[in-house]
């Protein structure tokens, strides 16, 4: 049985097509579902293994990015989402989806307190939209999404990507290995809040966090914009080098690994039992 | 009663930090905190409900609604919107309130800036002036004491309150003197109190045509009829200057040069013709592959941007997005383009639109920031990548900035088994308006952009786009409804609003009947004529067979979109409007569309230019650094980094290239993921060349657009172009002479290149009329500007070529010859000269190069390529070095003085780097084609551009290149 991925759309989310394509590419039965249709028949989540809130600009980022969309999901889907996460499923929030997931309190959900809002993803320190390629290092995490990945060269594109939280929350995230990704310099050294390596001033260079189980991953960079080699900012160099070496370039790039991990997770898990 | 909810951000806030930095630039050290404020039109009585709403506005990790513990501050400065101005944040807050409480009510947003610093009242006033535009926003301030005493800033409800005396349709007497007629055309219809309704932009000749028509109809016209004709016949909508007989060209320059070029190119291409739909729709459409078509359209939005740069630019970009959604049965927007022609943002000339130092022109910096920000919001929020664009600077854009906005679309070639570009309203189809409600926004936008900007320019012409509302219906239409084949035609509501969209769509069926009272309003009290011509944004018009109306409305509603049935397309031959059953407009469709009288135009032409200057041998190092640091050459990365270029996952070559991130002149995208084909976009413009000869200006522009695309890997035989003429004083024979020459030039050239024009738009009166600091009248006209944009299809994105050299020891070639053509160059400009030797394009020689380069690219022989443009070879080589982080050792022929060799802007040249192993294969292609191909350098590790007897360090070049606009 093919695992199913549901990618949410509507109200200004805008990365649903390429994100669904990523899931499809690695073997998922991927479908795009408008939030109003999902709210109308939330039961469909019972047959889904992977839920994705993709990137975009829901409600124009008004009242804080992801805030209004999270409220819409909270009011219409709250219990269903908790049930979904309680099953052996995967959830990912990317960029605007990350902001939605954090505002919904689905991550970090410290001590499984799903629904509690303890982390904010807010205005970049530059107060300006940043569309750039960054390097992120995978941290000591037990997230199946990041299994076997050490680092990724993928882009960010956001105006509000700065993770902020109280010191105690930060310490807890560290202690419980819920920090999934940190921005680094291209050589892998810590960005140490240096712009543009850390493009938004995020606390402790955080680019993504998980829930306690690691099955919910929420991240600001866009793996789906760095999943094919031709999307990379150094593509023309890579292809020229490959041509001269008489080699062919791999079709896929760093970001795809994340989706492949999701597919692998369900190949090894018993879907019938979880669904 | 209204109620205010204040949301204080106690955590560190990037927005506040940025404001602190702007204050620091004004010389003040202060700490800033922000309150986002929401005013609800009606009180929420239940405390539980109020708390729920408050909670929905707040991020508890960083914000609170409790203002009892505000930090110390000295001033509170509030900025909010004026009544009727689009307030997107307020709109979302209203939706949130509705989500939370299940009841609708209006919410208005504002922001309070708490400033803690040693600042006087006049300092605060000055600061406020930099933060708001009084045309659309209000600012107020209070000291901390007053703030405490008043318990905050107070409640302001910017609700539109119109004199609600009921709808009235006035008859207008046209049986009056010519002078009186002329005044109606210029200042508008007279109200009962003697005031005028605003410019119609109609000449006496047009007014006489109206007089004749209504005499023949045997009645006086209604105000709405005159307003409709003014919209429909406006320069903006009918392009009267391009359509009029001009000198011996009886069919007008559009038909004679632009359209004819395309017809002849298509005929010559025969079965290789890739055009599908040109000039007849909201965009032009060409073949992408067997399954898909791509569309393109570039608009200008100049006059509104001069008044409200942010609003003008955002409306420009979301407006042209609708030209994409409104193409054929509806194309999906896949790429945005932008372009800004501006005055130097580091200057601030004192100019006024009114006498006695009234109505001061916005500063170049304010305009630049505003237009850049407008496209940022419009493009990013719409989820459309914006990889391609430019900023061009000349101080004559000070009073009329040019704002270009373009959108490329993707649409299956067939929808519902029929060609997707074919559409047409049929008699009996219902008129469905989709999107937002109608307000007084943009009244007289179309007529206003057809006249020069002066004191009388109406503020209601200003609008602000709402990208999310548009995104919702755009997705619903293009991703769902279109493929259900439920409508027969679609068009956008742009200039002229319903009067244009319904009027144009009604041509297919042969008439229309609109029941105007069915058009939903943002607020009561609008007059019928205002409703009909309002340019309120985010609206599309659909022609829907009656049996499909309910189904479309149901889907739209499920996607959070509103729609309204407002009338019927007919075959009556009449343009009819009723208001509560009473006929208020009834004109012949023929008169509406074809009744405008021809205005024969005559031209003169005088070549400009000055004697060639006799410049001493320059300091080359210094000159190269200065050129890199000149506005037209330097890095515009502050724009590129804030425009999302890789949403939709399609980016291949983005706006910044190489490890050194240098702006290129072309971009490559892969719009259908999984399909290797790509779209190449580029553009060219050389406004300064117009000072010598518009013929060569036009050819240089077209050549640059084509050359940049071919250099980036696009085959010359699958490349189309778009023209945007932005002219000035187009009622003067000399300016018209310049225009005609430009058109002659590109007709010949496009034919030889085989690049058809597929779409275009013009803006003919880009003049500022006002007063200087001494109250002397001034007129500032932009240099005649032709923007040529190119769109092409590359068979496989692996043949895309970026501008950065890839490897040490690669050979560097220049293709085509350099001539002594420094006239109007950046080099001369550096020395304050114009000169006379403007680059003259050798069109045949260029075409030979493009064919050869197409072959070389198909064999993947170019490791990098850059078209030589502003600043000549010198800056092109420098950019290649900066982009790659590598050096170059250059040996140039000594056949002309070195400064000419390095800085001449001769068109048709491309610099290419090649793997030494490919030397023979590469050179033989150009030898065979008879195209000059000269090796001038090798790539080296040493971080220097070494030429002849001098060298420039890579780091110095990098610094100079990024310096001028770094602070933005």
């Amino acid at each position: 049985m093919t695992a199913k991925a549901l990618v949410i759309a509507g109200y200004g989310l805008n990365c649903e097509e390429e994100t669904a394509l990523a899931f499809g590419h690695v073997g998922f039965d991927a479908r795009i579902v408008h939030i109003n249709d999902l709210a109308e028949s939330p039961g469909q989540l019972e047959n889904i293994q992977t839920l994705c809130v993709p990137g975009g600009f829901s409600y124009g980022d008004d009242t804080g990015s992801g805030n209004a969309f999270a409220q819409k999901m909270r009011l219409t889907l709250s219990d269903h989402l908790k049930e979904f996460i309680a099953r052996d499923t995967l959830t990912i929030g990317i960029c605007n989806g990350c902001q939605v997931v954090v505002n919904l309190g689905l991550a970090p959900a410290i001590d499984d307190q799903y629904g509690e809002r303890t982390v904010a993803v807010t205005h970049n320190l530059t107060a300006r939209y940043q569309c750039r390629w960054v390097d992120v290092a995978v941290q000591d995490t037990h997230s199946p999404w990041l299994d076997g990945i050490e680092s990724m060269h993928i882009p960010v594109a956001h105006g509000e990507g700065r993770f902020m939280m109280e010191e105690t929350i930060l310490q807890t995230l560290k202690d419980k290995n819920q920090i999934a990704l940190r921005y680094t310099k291209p050589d892998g050294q810590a960005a140490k809040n240096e712009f543009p390596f850390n493009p938004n001033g995020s606390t402790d260079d955080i680019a993504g966090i998980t829930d306690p189980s690691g099955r919910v991953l929420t991240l600001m960079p866009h793996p789906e914009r760095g999943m094919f080699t031709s999307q990379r900012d150094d593509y023309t160099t890579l292809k020229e080098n490959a041509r001269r070496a008489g080699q062919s370039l791999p079709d896929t790039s760093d970001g795809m690994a994340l989706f492949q991990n999701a597919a692998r997770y369900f190949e090894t898990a018993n879907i019938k039992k979880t669904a | 009663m209204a109620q205010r909810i204040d949301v204080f951000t106690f955590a560190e806030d990037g927005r506040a930090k940025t404001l602190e930095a702007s204050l620091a630039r004004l010389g003040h050290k202060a700490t800033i905190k922000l309150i986002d404020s929401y005013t609800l039109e009606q009180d929420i009585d239940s405390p539980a409900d109020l708390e729920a709403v408050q909670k929905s506005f707040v991020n508890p990790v960083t914000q609170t609604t409790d203002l009892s513990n505000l930090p110390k501050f000295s001033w509170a400065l509030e900025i909010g919107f004026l009544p009727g101005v689009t307030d997107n944040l307020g709109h979302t807050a209203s939706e949130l309130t509705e989500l939370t409480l299940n009841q609708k009510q209006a919410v208005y947003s504002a922001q309070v800036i708490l400033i803690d610093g040693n600042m006087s009242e006049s300092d605060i006033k000055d600061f406020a002036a930099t933060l708001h535009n009084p045309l659309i926003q209000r600012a107020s301030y209070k000291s901390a004491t007053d703030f405490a005493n008043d318990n905050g800033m107070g409640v302001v409800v910017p609700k539109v309150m119109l004199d609600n005396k009921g709808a009235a349709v006035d008859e207008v007497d046209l049986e009056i003197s010519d002078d009186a007629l002329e005044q109606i055309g210029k200042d508008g219809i007279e109200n009962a109190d003697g005031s005028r309704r605003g410019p119609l932009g109609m000449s006496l000749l047009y007014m006489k045509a109206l007089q004749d028509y209504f005499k023949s109809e045997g009645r006086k016209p209604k105000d709405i009829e005159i307003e409709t004709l003014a919209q429909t016949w406006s320069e903006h909508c009918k392009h009267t200057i391009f359509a009029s007989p001009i000198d011996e060209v009886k069919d007008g320059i559009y038909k004679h040069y632009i359209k004819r070029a395309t017809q002849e190119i298509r005929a010559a291409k025969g079965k290789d013709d890739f055009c599908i739909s040109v000039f007849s729709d909201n965009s032009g459409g060409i073949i992408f592959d067997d399954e898909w078509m791509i569309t393109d359209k570039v608009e200008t939005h100049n006059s509104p941007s001069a008044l409200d740069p942010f609003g003008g630019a955002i409306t420009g970009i979301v407006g042209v997005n609708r030209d994409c959604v409104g193409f054929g049965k509806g194309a999906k927007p896949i790429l945005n383009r932008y372009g800004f022609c501006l005055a130097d943002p580091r200057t601030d000339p004192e100019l006024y639109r009114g006498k006695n130092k009234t109505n001061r022109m916005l500063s170049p910096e304010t305009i630049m920031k505003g237009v850049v920000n407008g496209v940022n919001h419009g493009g990013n929020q719409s989820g459309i990548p914006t990889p391609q664009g430019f900023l061009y600077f000349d101080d004559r854009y000070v009073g009329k900035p040019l704002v270009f906005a373009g959108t490329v679309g993707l649409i299956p070639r067939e929808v519902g088994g029929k060609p997707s570009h074919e559409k047409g309203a049929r008699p009996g189809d219902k008129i469905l308006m989709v999107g937002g409600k109608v307000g007084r926004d943009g009244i007289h936008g179309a007529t206003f952009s057809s006249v020069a900007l002066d004191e009388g320019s109406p503020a209601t012409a200003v609008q602000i786009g709402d990208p999310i509302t548009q995104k919702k219906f755009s997705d619903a239409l293009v991703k769902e409804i279109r493929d259900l084949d439920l409508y027969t035609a679609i068009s956008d509501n742009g200039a002229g609003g319903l009067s244009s969209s319904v009027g144009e769509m009604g041509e297919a069926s042969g008439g229309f009947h609109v029941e105007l009272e069915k058009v939903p309003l943002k607020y009561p009290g609008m007059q019928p004529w205002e409703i009909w011509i309002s340019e309120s944004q985010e609206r599309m018009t659909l022609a829907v067979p009656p049996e499909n109306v309910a189904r479309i409305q149901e889907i739209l509603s499920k996607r959070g979109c509103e729609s309204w049935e407002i009338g019927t397309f007919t075959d009556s031959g009449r343009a009819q409007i009723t208001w509560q059953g009473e006929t208020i407009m009834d004109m012949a469709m023929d008169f509406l569309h074809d009744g405008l009288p021809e205005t024969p135009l005559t031209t003169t032409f005088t070549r400009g230019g000055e004697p060639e200057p006799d410049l001493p041998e320059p300091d080359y190092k210094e000159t190269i650094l200065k050129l890199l640091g000149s506005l037209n050459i330097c890095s515009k990365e502050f724009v590129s980094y804030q425009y999302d270029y890789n949403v939709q996952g399609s980016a291949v070559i983005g706006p910044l290239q190489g490890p050194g991130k240098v702006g290129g002149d072309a971009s490559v995208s892969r719009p259908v993921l999984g399909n290797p084909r790509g779209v190449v976009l580029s553009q060219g413009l050389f406004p300064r060349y117009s000072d010598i000869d518009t013929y060569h200006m036009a050819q240089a522009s077209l050549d640059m657009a084509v050359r940049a695309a071919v250099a980036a890997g696009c085959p010359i035989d699958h490349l189309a172009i778009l023209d945007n003429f932005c002219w000035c004083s187009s009622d003067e024979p000399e300016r018209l002479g310049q225009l005609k020459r430009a058109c002659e030039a590109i007709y010949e050239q496009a034919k030889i290149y085989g690049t058809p024009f597929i779409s275009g738009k013009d803006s003919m009166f880009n003049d500022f009329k006002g007063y200087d600091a001494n109250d002397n009248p001034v007129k500032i006209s932009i240099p005649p500007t032709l923007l040529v944009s190119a769109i092409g299809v590359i068979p496989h994105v692996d043949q895309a070529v970026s501008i950065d050299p890839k490897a040490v020891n690669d050979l560097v070639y220049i293709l085509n010859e350099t001539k002594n053509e420094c006239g109007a160059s950046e080099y001369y400009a550096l020395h304050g000269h114009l000169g006379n030797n403007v680059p003259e394009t050798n069109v045949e020689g260029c075409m030979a190069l493009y064919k050869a380069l197409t072959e070389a690219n198909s064999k993947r022989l170019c490791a990098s390529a850059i078209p030589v443009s502003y600043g000549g070879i010198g800056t092109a080589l420098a950019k290649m070095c900066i982009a790659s982080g590598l050096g170059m050792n250059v040996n140039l022929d000594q056949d002309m003085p070195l400064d000419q060799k390095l800085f001449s802007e001769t068109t048709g040249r491309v610099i290419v780097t090649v793997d030494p192993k490919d030397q023979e294969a590469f050179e033989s292609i150009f030898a065979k084609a008879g195209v000059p191909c000269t090796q001038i350098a090798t790539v080296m590790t040493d971080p220097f551009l070494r030429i002849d007897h001098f060298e420039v360090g890579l780091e110095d070049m990098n610094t100079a290149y990024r310096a001028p606009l770094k602070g933005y």
Side-chain angles (χ1 to χ4, degrees), chain A residues 14 17-18 34 36-37 57 62 67 71 127-129 131 133 162 225 231 233 235-236 239 243-244, chain B residues 12 18 56 88 92 100 332 383 558-559 641 644-646 648-649 661 798 800 802 810 918 968:
Chain A
N14 60 37
E17 291 191 352
E18 55 270 33
H34 194 279
N36 289 349
D37 292 347
F57 242 109
D62 299 332
N67 180 61
Q71 175 76 345
R128 181 174 282 176
Y129 196 91
C131 178
W133 284 77
R162 184 185 188 195
R225 299 189 194 179
Q231 293 172 318
D233 59 342
Y235 167 60
T236 55
K239 81 179 165 74
R243 191 187 74 90
R244 292 186 190 197
Chain B
E12 188 183 54
T18 308
S56 76
N88 290 323
T92 295
T100 309
K332 175 181 131 182
K558 280 177 90 166
R559 298 301 169 247
Y641 281 127
D644 189 343
Y645 81 94
N646 53 18
Q648 301 189 8
K661 307 292 177 203
D798 76 359
S802 60
D810 273 14
D918 295 324
Y968 298 102

Side-chain angles (χ1 to χ4, degrees), chain B residues 57-127:
Chain B
F57 292 169
V58 170
N59 189 326
V61 183
T62 54
Q63 299 174 319
T64 177
T65 49
D66 177 7
L67 299 192
S68 60
N69 286 312
L70 289 182
K72 182 172 91 64
F73 64 93
S74 31
W75 294 98
L77 168 60
E78 174 168 306
I79 309 236
F81 288 108
L82 292 175
V85 175
T86 303
D87 176 0
N88 290 323
L89 176 51
H91 182 74
T92 295
S94 166
E95 284 193 44
L96 258 177
T97 310
E98 189 184 350
L99 274 176
T100 309
L101 300 184
N102 217 0
Q103 63 195 39
K104 259 190 165 72
Q105 74 156 307
V107 181
Y108 304 93
S109 76
Q111 190 172 62
V112 183
I113 304 166
L114 301 178
I115 305 163
D116 186 30
N118 187 15
M119 291 171 68
S120 68
E121 186 168 350
S122 83
D123 291 339
I124 292 295
K125 270 191 188 169
D126 290 347
F127 186 43

Side-chain angles (χ1 to χ4, degrees), chain B residues 847-864:
Chain B
M847 185 55 187
L849 166 62
Y850 306 149
K851 280 185 182 160
L853 201 51
T854 296
E855 185 185 341
N857 283 331
S858 72
K859 295 177 175 162
R860 279 60 168 178
L861 293 174
C862 301
S864 72

